Amino acid sequence: MTLVQRTIEQPQLFLIVLLFAGGIAATALLVRIRFELAAPLFFAGATVGLYGVSLFGLLQIGFYLVAAYCIAGIIATVATCALPSRRDRAKELLLTPGALAFVLTGTILVFYNSVSQVSAWDDYAHWGTAVKEMVRLNDLYVRPDAGLPFARTYPPGLKLIEYVGSKMTGGFSEPALFLSLQLFSLSFILPLFATTQLKKYTQWVCLLLVFPLLILISHDGSQHLFISLYADIPMGLVFGFGLYLLLTKQYDAPLKTVLLCLVAVLLVLVKEIGLVLAGVLVIMLGLQALYEWRVSRTSLSSATHQLVSVAAVLGSIVATKMTWSWYLLNFPNRHDGDVFRSTSTIQSVVDFVLGNGQEYQYETLWRFIGSFVQTMVLRMTGTTMLMLIIVIMFAALWYQQRHKSQEKRILVGWLFVGSMVAILFYSLALLAAYLFTFAPYEAVEVVVYSRYMVTLYVAIGVFWGLTLFEHRTSKHSRFSPKQSMVLVLVVLLAGMQFFVLEFSRLKVFGREASFEEAFWAERPVLKALWDTPESSEAKVYMIATGTLGHDFYTTRYYASGIPMNEFGLYWITPRPYGGGDTGMLDRFATVMSRDEWAQLLIDEGYRYVWFGAGPDDEAYYSVSPEEHERWRHVQKEFIEEYGSLFENPDDIRPFTLFEIRPRKGGGIVLVRVG
């Protein structure tokens, strides 16, 4: 099946672009700002609004309200353009290079995403599965019947806008998830077009060429917005836009305060560490207020307005954190205390500072410092975003030398101050997370450090890029064709890594079967159960003996709707063979006696036991022969420990389903199905 054929079969994706464009247009007409300036306001406002109604179990009503608003925007756009008295105003606000960029880029993304599929580990574990459960339940994924083991650890943030995009297609749609996330993310760099005009084609044609590439190059070498639903890059884009708001003159003061509040709330809702980034915005606002009062000698009323902005943003952050904590109180904390063995207590911090911490913490500290120096100075963590930041910084210094005015020097000074404050606080927060909340083996390895740091690279790049471009293309400056071509060249060179490394992956466009089809092809017995009307009541206990758990996550994702256990008996190598606290290898396995497990199956109403992939089927990671041998030992040990509960222990192998039946004389027996 060709790419064009797949796209024709999914016209709903075009509907997502159209409706989101309508929502932005409605915001532009309502607030009387240009389309490109209204885009961040629409997406931030819609996400925060959806969060508010979802706290009261009204998520589906929230979707209807957003959809109605978008439809109203389309109608208002047509009506405004049709009225001669309003036509000029509509052209000024809606017929802009930014609107053209959004529609054209959205159309390109429709074709690209027509074959997009969930494939990343964490997308199966949480990001994709959470949205799938939200679409199924029309409620947040924290509900117990959603069955997500990490639900409480992640705020809803991006999943809310992905839920809306998916619902616009009529149901759950993987391409819709990717498209919604990408359009959301692109909206926060759309203000690049704020100072361009259609008649000045040099500027906007140049930006139109590089605009889609800005997302392509925003990755850490392994994950980006086109192959995963991870929140790291979108969070960086939102944070970078928030820093840009501090210096921009495109929004008036009251609207800027509202936008800063929405951005701060959005950062808190995207990931837990976003709270630190929201705090950086408060710090920068405070520094601005102090500077304007003590150095610029502004009026007392101006300084007071700044303080009101600081209080409003800080209040928004506190309110968001408190409401999410309040919402979680409605659901029991059943597993997180065991899974995430956090040592983040005041005493543990004091012990660490005084030199009495655990040995692994000090090793983690030195490894973190080494990783920081390596990624910030010696290499680019697999991303070319750092290259762009360096180029922009040098350009800013050159720009400062050419413009000796105090205003230009202050501008560049604030760019450096904002960047340094962001680097300092984000890095310290990330270090604290490794030291006090990560499992020891994860902390010492400084796991996925580059993916976490790409948030910072993207944010600083957006901050510098949006701010300098706005000032360079202001009424008093001229953006020459030569400078335009230099910008295009820089972005194209920065994007070479994406084109060289990622285009080879586009062979997925020619795939005849999807990942889901391949998944079910190996599991016909489970598929038969999943297809039955009573599958939502057929509670299944899943086991993936001796594996790393990738199959456990993929099964929960594709078999959404079948109630399953959150953590499994012998899901992965259990504690007796983990060699102490080795992190993932012994954090998620549930170890209990045969009689305890049998009683659990009875007490919690399980009807089936499913054996997922075994050690030889766990292809997500390549492992050593020693690990394979250890896993086989675990599998053998499992049969020795629990085999007496099965009618025929020899039937225990990957991809088998057992029905739980009462045994004569008491107890249960597991009988193979199919």
Side-chain angles (χ1 to χ4, degrees), residues 228 498 632 643:
S228 75
F498 172 83
R632 288 192 176 92

Side-chain angles (χ1 to χ4, degrees), residues 264-279:
V265 172
L266 202 53
L267 288 171
V268 176
L269 291 177
V270 171
K271 283 183 73 174
E272 287 189 329
I273 200 170
L275 179 65
V276 175
L277 300 180

Side-chain angles (χ1 to χ4, degrees), residues 168-441:
M168 286 177 177
T169 65
F172 181 75
S173 166
E174 292 180 333
L177 299 188
F178 287 92
L179 180 60
S180 302
L181 181 60
Q182 291 155 13
L183 293 175
F184 169 91
S185 302
L186 286 169
S187 72
F188 289 93
I189 57 174
L190 205 62
L192 275 172
F193 295 90
T195 54
T196 63
Q197 301 293 332
L198 283 176
K199 60 183 179 181
K200 297 180 180 180
Y201 64 89
T202 301
Q203 294 179 5
W204 69 263
V205 170
C206 158
L207 286 177
L208 199 58
L209 289 173
V210 304
F211 181 63
L213 296 176
L214 294 177
I215 294 298
L216 295 179
I217 62 179
S218 302
H219 65 104
D220 70 337
S222 59
Q223 305 296 338
H224 53 73
L225 284 177
F226 291 83
I227 62 173
S228 75
L229 301 171
Y230 290 8
D232 306 281
I233 290 174
M235 185 168 64
L237 293 166
V238 173
F239 179 51
F241 174 77
L243 292 173
Y244 159 73
L245 283 174
L246 301 172
L247 302 178
T248 183
K249 298 178 180 179
Q250 295 300 314
Y251 300 95
D252 58 33
L255 183 57
K256 184 185 292 188
T257 300
V258 170
L259 257 173
L260 279 168
C261 290
L262 290 174
V263 166
V265 172
L266 202 53
L267 288 171
V268 176
L269 291 177
V270 171
K271 283 183 73 174
E272 287 189 329
I273 200 170
L275 179 65
V276 175
L277 300 180
V280 170
L281 292 182
V282 175
I283 293 171
M284 289 297 299
L285 267 175
L287 290 176
Q288 265 193 336
L290 182 64
Y291 175 84
E292 292 187 7
W293 178 54
R294 297 294 301 273
V295 179
S296 298
R297 301 296 180 184
T298 57
S299 64
L300 182 61
S301 61
S302 178
T304 302
H305 174 78
Q306 287 279 1
L307 291 176
V308 169
S309 296
V310 172
V313 176
L314 182 59
S316 300
I317 295 170
V318 173
T320 306
K321 190 65 177 176
M322 290 181 64
T323 53
W324 181 242
S325 299
W326 166 80
Y327 182 78
L328 292 179
L329 291 176
N330 298 308
F331 306 99
N333 185 3
R334 295 175 296 168
H335 297 292
D336 290 5
D338 295 328
V339 176
F340 300 100
R341 300 182 198 153
S342 172
T343 57
S344 54
T345 62
I346 295 177
Q347 186 60 49
S348 66
V349 175
V350 171
D351 289 342
F352 174 78
V353 173
L354 296 179
N356 299 321
Q358 301 182 49
E359 183 179 349
Y360 85 89
Q361 291 178 316
Y362 298 103
E363 185 177 353
T364 298
L365 173 63
W366 289 112
R367 289 204 178 190
F368 182 91
I369 293 174
S371 297
F372 179 85
V373 173
Q374 185 181 32
T375 57
M376 293 294 286
V377 180
L378 302 179
R379 66 184 180 93
M380 291 178 269
T381 66
T383 182
T384 50
M385 180 54 77
L386 187 58
M387 170 186 169
L388 277 183
I389 295 173
I390 294 172
V391 170
I392 292 173
M393 285 186 173
F394 275 109
L397 293 174
W398 168 80
Y399 178 75
Q400 183 186 27
Q401 292 300 316
R402 290 197 57 180
H403 299 274
K404 299 296 184 180
S405 69
Q406 183 181 10
E407 180 185 357
K408 303 299 182 183
R409 292 197 297 271
I410 291 174
L411 172 68
V412 176
W414 275 112
L415 286 171
F416 274 103
V417 169
S419 302
M420 293 305 106
V421 171
I423 290 172
L424 174 64
F425 281 90
Y426 184 79
S427 299
L428 288 176
L430 191 56
L431 173 60
Y434 280 116
L435 290 175
F436 303 110
T437 65
F438 279 65
Y441 106 99

Side-chain angles (χ1 to χ4, degrees), residues 95-116:
L95 191 57
T96 66
L100 183 63
F102 184 86
V103 173
L104 289 180
T105 304
T107 302
I108 293 171
L109 291 174
V110 165
F111 280 86
Y112 187 97
N113 288 302
S114 62
V115 291
S116 292

Side-chain angles (χ1 to χ4, degrees), residues 491-519:
V491 177
L492 285 174
L493 288 175
M496 285 302 294
Q497 180 182 5
F498 172 83
F499 293 112
V500 172
L501 297 180
E502 304 301 332
F503 269 8
S504 61
R505 300 186 185 185
L506 298 188
K507 60 184 179 181
V508 71
F509 284 123
R511 289 180 59 95
E512 290 294 337
S514 67
F515 295 144
E516 183 173 10
E517 290 169 343
F519 173 86

